Amino acid sequence: MNEWPGIRLLVTESWDEDYHHGQESLHYEGRAVTIATSDRDQSKYGMLARLAVEAGFDWVSYVSRRHIYCSVKSDSSISSHVHGCFTPESTALLESGVRKPLGELSIGDRVLSMTANGQAVYSEVILFMDRNLEQMQNFVQLHTDGGAVLTVTPAHLISVWQPESQKLTFVFADRIEEKNQVLVRDSETGELRPQRVIKVGSVRSKGVVAPLTREGTIVVNSVAASCYAVINSQSLAHWGLAPMRLLSTLEAWLPAKEQLHSSPKVVSSAEQQNGIHWYANALYKVKDYVLPQSWRHD
């Protein structure tokens, strides 16, 4: 009312008992709403999302040009997941040509990734920045006009092609809008080509997985994405993980016997990991003190 005198808040969806939403929708629990302004002026929706955050909603997403999605966590739920992850059932393409669920990936697997100039390349998984197969989490879901579907946490960086400037940028998943273009693997040529986003939605699903490749990118469900999240700079995030890439290289040079004694954290798979990697967790804590707020995902 203070921001736009005479304009009312329009709640387009709230409680749902007719099962018009996905199986895990928070609308069935009365913990989610979609809102707009009474005049349906889409130019106001960016500010409306900010006002929803200030009002105390635990998760706010500008998932469509038509409305803002807002939800609150239950009193018994754990804290909101602010890092970047994919769902365990999402797949990556191995160098052998086999598609493998992210929940089954191992350290050392070579998966399809992307170079800084948008070329497809296979890159080694060197660690998992996060892995928890039991945690319930809210995800953004991107659908392209070519049929690709990517499910990812809101703060994750996604590669977006800018046709006007012919440049590749990285954008937080919950900032991507319909008609934006993302890079998708062409099944015939194997190249990464732009596809238009035709739908942006939200889902709640079980499990989070965040593999880190040496390239700093990964193609998941055929869609090119960063391995990083939370800060809006792919290059800065990649620089921040340089010590882990160096450590991985040094350990690869060591004889197998020395590796066993030098670092118990290095294993052939990530099955023993349950939670955030210690180095990634340290970076997440430091960012609030060294990075401007405008660089971080809010």
Side-chain angles (χ1 to χ4, degrees):
M1 292 174 63
N2 292 334
E3 186 71 27
W4 303 297
I7 302 299
R8 293 181 178 273
L9 179 68
L10 179 64
V11 178
T12 58
E13 292 182 293
S14 55
W15 174 268
D16 177 17
E17 57 185 18
D18 297 322
Y19 297 96
H20 291 156
H21 295 81
Q23 184 177 357
E24 300 291 341
S25 174
L26 297 182
H27 286 286
Y28 303 136
E29 303 176 27
R31 295 197 283 119
V33 293
T34 56
I35 59 175
T37 55
S38 59
D39 60 353
R40 296 284 190 169
D41 182 356
Q42 295 179 2
S43 67
K44 293 184 172 72
Y45 290 0
M47 177 57 71
L48 182 61
R50 287 184 173 273
L51 293 175
V53 171
E54 294 175 5
F57 282 100
D58 295 308
W59 198 59
V60 177
S61 180
Y62 193 174
V63 299
S64 168
R65 291 181 181 274
R66 297 182 295 273
H67 58 249
I68 308 296
Y69 174 89
C70 312
S71 66
V72 294
K73 61 187 179 183
S74 66
D75 292 338
S76 60
S77 69
I78 61 175
S79 60
S80 177
H81 196 86
V82 296
H83 312 129
C85 297
F86 306 96
T87 59
E89 61 270 18
S90 296
T91 61
L93 182 65
L94 300 183
E95 196 168 23
S96 63
V98 174
R99 287 199 171 274
K100 192 173 185 180
L102 299 188
E104 299 176 12
L105 276 184
S106 299
I107 293 173
D109 282 344
R110 289 179 59 82
V111 298
L112 187 63
S113 305
M114 180 184 68
T115 63
N117 61 358
Q119 300 300 309
V121 64
Y122 287 93
S123 184
E124 177 191 1
V125 175
I126 61 173
L127 60 84
F128 286 79
M129 293 200 288
D130 199 350
R131 187 180 186 277
N132 187 327
L133 303 185
E134 300 299 321
Q135 180 175 332
M136 293 300 299
Q137 180 58 39
N138 292 324
F139 292 89
V140 171
Q141 197 167 68
L142 307 176
H143 300 252
T144 74
D145 57 2
V149 180
L150 178 66
T151 306
V152 63
T153 45
H156 206 103
L157 289 174
I158 307 298
S159 60
V160 173
W161 177 251
Q162 307 291 349
E164 298 84 5
S165 59
Q166 295 288 295
K167 291 183 179 179
L168 185 65
T169 60
F170 286 87
V171 179
F172 292 129
D174 64 355
R175 311 276 170 87
I176 291 180
E177 301 179 358
E178 296 172 7
K179 298 184 179 180
N180 284 161
Q181 295 183 20
V182 296
L183 292 186
V184 180
R185 179 180 181 270
D186 187 305
S187 58
E188 295 183 0
T189 65
E191 297 178 352
L192 298 173
R193 299 186 180 278
Q195 286 189 12
R196 187 167 55 90
V197 175
I198 59 173
K199 180 183 177 182
V200 182
S202 58
V203 296
R204 187 167 174 80
S205 186
K206 183 179 181 181
V208 292
V209 182
L212 173 64
T213 66
R214 194 172 294 278
E215 197 71 34
T217 58
I218 185 170
V219 176
V220 176
N221 289 356
S222 297
V223 180
S226 171
C227 292
Y228 308 122
V230 181
I231 64 172
N232 62 5
S233 172
Q234 171 73 10
S235 57
L236 180 59
H238 195 56
W239 177 84
L241 269 295
M244 290 294 98
R245 292 194 297 277
L246 176 60
L247 179 61
S248 175
T249 300
L250 293 175
E251 288 171 335
W253 289 348
L254 293 176
K257 184 176 181 180
E258 291 185 31
Q259 287 186 34
L260 292 175
H261 297 287
S262 64
S263 178
K265 295 186 290 297
V266 179
V267 294
S268 59
S269 74
E271 293 180 359
Q272 297 179 6
Q273 182 176 335
N274 183 36
I276 303 174
H277 188 278
W278 65 269
Y279 186 82
N281 193 40
L283 290 182
Y284 289 138
K285 292 180 179 179
V286 168
K287 73 174 182 1
D288 294 334
Y289 300 98
V290 299
L291 295 178
Q293 187 174 2
S294 60
W295 290 21
R296 309 193 302 263
H297 183 273
D298 293 325

